[in-house]
Amino acid sequence: MTETLPQQYTTELPAAWNPAEVEQGLYQRWVDSGYFAADASSDKPPFCIVLPPPNVTGSLHMGHALNHTVMDALTRRRRMQGYEALWLPGMDHAGIATQNVVERQLAGEGLSRHDLGREKFVERVWEWKAEYGGKILDQMRRLGDSVDWDRERFTMDEPLSRAVQTMFKKLFDDGLAYRAERIINWCPRCLTALSDIEVEHSEDEGELVSIRYGDGAASIVVATTRAETMLGDTAVAVHPDDERYKHLIGTEVELPLTGRRIPIVGDEHVDPAFGTGAVKVTPAHDPNDFEIGQRHSLPSMTIMDSRGVISVAGPFEGLDRFEARPAVVAALRELGRIVAEKRPYLHSVGHCSRCDTVVEPRLSLQWFVNVGPLAKAAGDAVRDGRTTIHPPELAKRYFDWVDNLHDWCISRQLWWGHRIPVWYGPDGEVVCVGPDEQPPTGEGWQQDEDVLDTWFSSGLWPMSTLGWPDKTADLAKFYPTTVLSTGYDILFFWVARMMMFGLYAMDGAQPFDHVYLHGLIRDANGKKMSKSRGNVIDPLKWLDAYGADAARFTLARGANPGADMALAEEWAGGSRNFCTKLWNASRFALLNGATTAVPVPARDRLTDADRWILDRAAQVVSEVDELFERYEFAKLCEALYHFTWDECCDWYLELAKVQIAEGGERAEATRAVLGHVLDTLLRLLHPVIPFITETLWTELTGGESLMVADWPTASTVEADVVAARRIDTVQKLVTEVRRFRADQGLRPGQKVPARLSGVDEADIVGQLASIRAIARLEEPGDGFAASASLEIGGVLVELDTSGTIDVAAERKRLAKDLAAAEKELAQCDGKLNNQAFVDKAPAAVVDKIKARREAAVADIARVAARLDALPEG
């Protein structure tokens, strides 16, 4: 697009958009101006998002970048709509992850946490946080997050620790927090209990071994993938109605390698159709076996220590569990006890989500939350509409989870975290202490050594960040929060816990009105990103290479609710091109007088092109509004992309250039329309691409900032369908002429004499000047002789391309068109000549095929005539 119009208009915009030169300074100006700050005393309607707190150890990855883009777009739009918008940032202390980082640092110094002791170790973690933690917060600034930095929170800060202690005390007093021996997930590497959601399962190769217990008629065969745990068996279980084993129930069988005899019990948990129909029962090392043991009063034998090493006396003592497994099998084989071996045998194995160590089910004394009543309330809040899940089809997964929750193990054998506020006395006393209470003192009193699961404190995030348990102005204004945006993969980890705690602590008030669940980001081939695959994309590199706006637009353009997103770097390049297109078009408009300083004239003083683009802008406002409300970010970005590129840049700017060149009142009206449309477009785009739109909009309008500008509202004026039809005709005509010119190899600026007939009938007389200018057609002179012709929408365009046309190329193009028309005719005849099809197909379908046939016949005649008219060559 060249700047050929009058140069009395100027702009301060540089020739090219360079985000690296603008973003940091512009972001700081937003912060310094207080645009991100929310006022709890405001009478504006509230809008609130609490940022899913990233780990203090974390750095920005593509999942963060996607979610932050979504949240920022929602917040910026609501702020422009006049809401008191609070986007509250913060970080999670990430108990296991952070402790692991600091312990590795100590190991490099030849130390362990035990060398320092608890108090000094915790001090060391705080020092690490101060020096290295929270780098993701700086990266959020680079992305353009409009969070209220004055309200930044950390889950270990005193106010949030107070909230944690209050919640534990409330649960304890209500009998919902209890301490008991249960089978829990244990990480032998992290040396702590894990909740179910901190365990990731994968299909691993193992071995299924069938072992005969006992001898002769009293023997029974069991199958296991964990042969080493047989050392802790205290029974064999069969289904009470299984005819094969009924006679054995109540008898005992010898347990090989141990010299012990164990009972055979009948339990309905056993599936007779699985394996041999008999299962070994190890109550201390399997959750299902533990339940069987409870029902039958079986003893529990712990055979491993906390590191997964065999601890029972005998030949296997001191062996790691994975060393003991083949050793036990070998010993059983020597005794002739191995009936069958299947390897490799794929089965589901749990791994610690933090270090990938295989998790060990272990009987342990831990703290739990009875989630029954809490989970029911969490399900009810979605069922009765207090909280809406987007997309709605993921609500079923939510219900499947909350309706089947097991009690939550909340204690962790760590030093970094919220220590459980329970003291044990010398005579077995148990005292839970609230935040305003003094712990018991005196000889023999000790506080529980464990800390709470990280998800316990992050489950309080929507309340604790707003000041709960105190009745603060922030809590009154912004709770319930408006929307939670997060990946569907932590629907269970985090969302359900916040729902349970929020409803429980806030008298049934939900923590958020809406839950928007986006998908996961995958590579261009749809594969999960992982370091081992080498397909991880670093968003920081995208920010460096393409700028924040291009990165954000790429992510938002692929964000369909609940659906995973395939991502490739070339798409970021395409978004950068979009930003460049917007920049160049806006700069061109400014240099040609686009303005918001004067109002748009009355519609009867506007051209068809002006009315058409104003109507389209109004339609896009309505469309974008509707899509924002449905969290359809991909669709709203697509709508804005095509309106910007196709309609504003490729068509209206070209039409406007012709109108401005005419001068006078029409030119001034067009400048006002151009300014108005550009103003609307930049406002609509701002939530997704804030930096470039802010730069362009302030230059266009002279306004303070888009951060305090109003969101556009859809026009109530009825759209001009006549203007839309005329512009549609112009677009089709010009597109076809351009295609013809390209086929002929004509230079873009080369003008061709042309005569247009049928413009009256097509109702585009008023568009002739624009058509000629845009299609590079000049008035025919004396002696004009057409060498080629096109018929588009009833308009005949005759062109004199003598001396410029490539006859061979035109014949080739027309031959291709003729072949396509003949193929269409043959297909239509094939269907219409098939009597069975004609009899069975709906009348509307048959009529449509007949119409297609008529069009094909007309095309064949038209193209053949044009071929005949071409000179030989």
Side-chain angles (χ1 to χ4, degrees), residues 228-234 255 260 281-285 299 301 303:
E228 72 283 3
T229 63
M230 67 161 290
L231 301 173
D233 285 0
T234 57
L255 180 65
R260 291 189 290 113
V281 181
T282 320
H285 292 278
M301 288 184 59
I303 64 164

Side-chain angles (χ1 to χ4, degrees), residues 592-595 600-601 605-607 609-610 613 652-653 655-677:
N592 287 282
T595 181
V600 173
R605 294 172 53 199
L606 300 177
T607 66
D610 293 337
I613 198 65
Y652 184 67
L653 277 181
L655 294 166
K657 182 164 60 175
V658 177
Q659 295 175 178
I660 291 172
E662 293 179 7
E665 184 178 323
R666 172 170 288 190
E668 292 309 309
T670 300
R671 290 186 177 103
V673 171
L674 185 54
H676 172 82
V677 171

Side-chain angles (χ1 to χ4, degrees), residues 614-625:
L614 288 171
D615 290 342
R616 283 296 301 128
Q619 290 160 5
V620 170
V621 170
S622 296
E623 184 179 359
V624 168
D625 273 335

Side-chain angles (χ1 to χ4, degrees), residues 211-222 244-245 247-248 251-254 264 337:
I211 309 167
R212 183 179 300 281
Y213 288 9
D215 295 297
S219 68
I220 194 164
V221 177
V222 300
R244 295 170 295 175
Y245 304 120
H247 65 289
L248 294 176
T251 66
E252 291 186 340
V253 67
E254 182 184 349
I264 298 176
R337 295 287 180 175

